[in-house]
Amino acid sequence: MEDFNSWRDLMNPEFYIKMGGFWLILFIVFAETGLFVGFFLPGDSLLFVSGIYAVEIIKETFGSTGSDFLDTTILASCVALAAIIGNEIGYYFGVKTGPALYKKQDTLLFKKKYLYQAHDFFEKHGALAIIMARFLPVVRTFTPIVAGIVKMDKKEFLRDNVIGAILWSFILIFAGHYLDKLFQEQFGINLKEKLELIIIIIVLVTTLPVIIKFVFGKKEDFSKYEDKDSE
C-alpha cells in the first residue's frame, strides 16, 4: 500500500495502481463518466501505465494466467466494461436530469463551461463524438450527459459507447504493455523509470486539442443555451 505524500500523487497514475490496484483503476475509469467527478484524475495516462503493470496487476488480483497477452486482455476488457457502464449512467443521467445542469451554479467539481464544450463537440461530430470523446480528457466526462440531453437513440449510443470504450482501453493498455517490452528488449530502457516523462507526453498529446480549441477556437455565445433553459 502506497502512502499519500503530496497532492502531486493525485496526478500520478502509478500511485493509484500501487495504492488500490485493479479495483481502484476500474473505479476511476467508471467515476470519470459515471460519477462526473473524475475529469481531474489521470485517465489516458492511467491506462497506459496500467498496461506497463498489467501482468503484475492481474497476478495480484486473480493470479497470473501465464500469458502476458491474456493478462493484458483481461485488464483491458475489464477497463472497457467499467468505461461502458460509466457512460451508460452518464447518458441516463442526461436523459433524466441533464437540462437542469445548465442552470446549476459552478462548483469546485462542476464547471458549466465543460458542459457547453461537450455540447458543441457533440453537435459538430454527431454520433462519432461518443467514440472520439473517449480520447479527450474532460470532454469524455460530459459527452454522455449531453447525448442524453439531446435524446440520442439508446441503441446507437450503446453501440458507439462500446466501440469507443474498447478502442480506448485496448489501444492505451496494449500500447503501454508492449511498448515497455519493446523498449526493454531493443534499447534496454525500462519505461517504469521514465514514467514522469511519459505522463507529461500523454497529457500534452491528449489535452493539446482541447487547449487549442479553448485558446484559439471561436468563442461561443452561451446565451443560446440559457434561452433554451428558460423555455
Side-chain angles (χ1 to χ4, degrees):
M1 178 73 71
E2 293 287 300
D3 294 325
F4 177 80
N5 296 314
S6 71
W7 291 107
R8 291 181 59 188
D9 288 335
L10 296 179
M11 302 304 296
N12 181 6
E14 190 178 25
F15 169 73
Y16 296 100
I17 293 171
K18 292 186 175 181
M19 183 181 72
F22 178 81
W23 300 110
L24 184 56
I25 293 170
L26 297 190
F27 176 76
I28 291 175
V29 170
F30 165 79
E32 192 169 26
T33 52
L35 302 180
F36 329 121
V37 296
F39 59 85
F40 60 88
L41 297 172
D44 303 299
S45 58
L46 176 64
L47 266 60
F48 186 89
V49 176
S50 295
I52 296 177
Y53 284 96
V55 174
E56 292 94 325
I57 291 171
I58 296 302
K59 181 179 180 180
E60 292 177 0
T61 308
F62 306 108
S64 177
T65 64
S67 166
D68 281 16
F69 176 79
L70 188 54
D71 286 343
T72 307
T73 299
I74 292 173
L75 178 61
S77 299
C78 292
V79 167
L81 181 60
I84 291 169
I85 295 173
N87 255 22
E88 288 297 322
I89 291 179
Y91 174 83
Y92 179 79
F93 183 81
V95 170
K96 296 297 182 182
T97 63
L101 289 179
Y102 286 114
K103 300 179 181 179
K104 181 179 174 61
Q105 296 297 315
D106 284 352
T107 65
L108 178 64
L109 297 179
F110 174 82
K111 302 297 181 183
K112 192 183 298 185
K113 65 180 181 180
Y114 297 145
L115 192 62
Y116 292 140
Q117 290 169 357
H119 183 283
D120 293 339
F121 186 78
F122 185 84
E123 286 292 307
K124 180 178 180 180
H125 298 288
L128 186 60
I130 306 301
I131 299 174
M132 295 172 60
R134 278 294 179 191
F135 297 87
L136 295 174
V138 178
V139 173
R140 63 171 163 259
T141 300
F142 295 97
T143 296
I145 302 175
V146 174
I149 292 174
V150 300
K151 299 295 192 300
M152 179 180 179
D153 181 79
K154 293 180 181 179
K155 292 182 179 179
E156 291 183 1
F157 177 81
L158 177 60
R159 177 199 63 201
D160 297 331
N161 181 20
V162 170
I163 293 173
I166 291 175
L167 288 175
W168 182 58
S169 61
F170 274 75
I171 288 175
L172 289 174
I173 290 176
F174 271 80
H177 181 74
Y178 284 103
L179 282 177
D180 179 48
K181 294 187 66 174
L182 175 65
F183 273 77
Q184 289 196 51
E185 294 173 359
Q186 299 296 322
F187 309 106
I189 299 176
N190 186 351
L191 293 187
K192 292 178 182 177
E193 300 174 354
K194 309 291 183 180
L195 289 183
E196 287 191 5
L197 177 60
I198 291 172
I199 293 169
I200 291 174
I201 293 174
I202 293 176
V203 170
L204 287 176
V205 170
T206 56
T207 59
L208 191 58
V210 178
I211 294 174
I212 292 176
K213 171 66 176 177
F214 180 78
V215 176
F216 300 103
K218 180 181 178 182
K219 300 302 181 181
E220 296 292 337
D221 179 13
F222 293 152
S223 62
K224 59 185 178 181
Y225 301 109
E226 295 172 358
D227 292 340
K228 291 181 180 180
D229 293 337
S230 62
E231 293 178 358

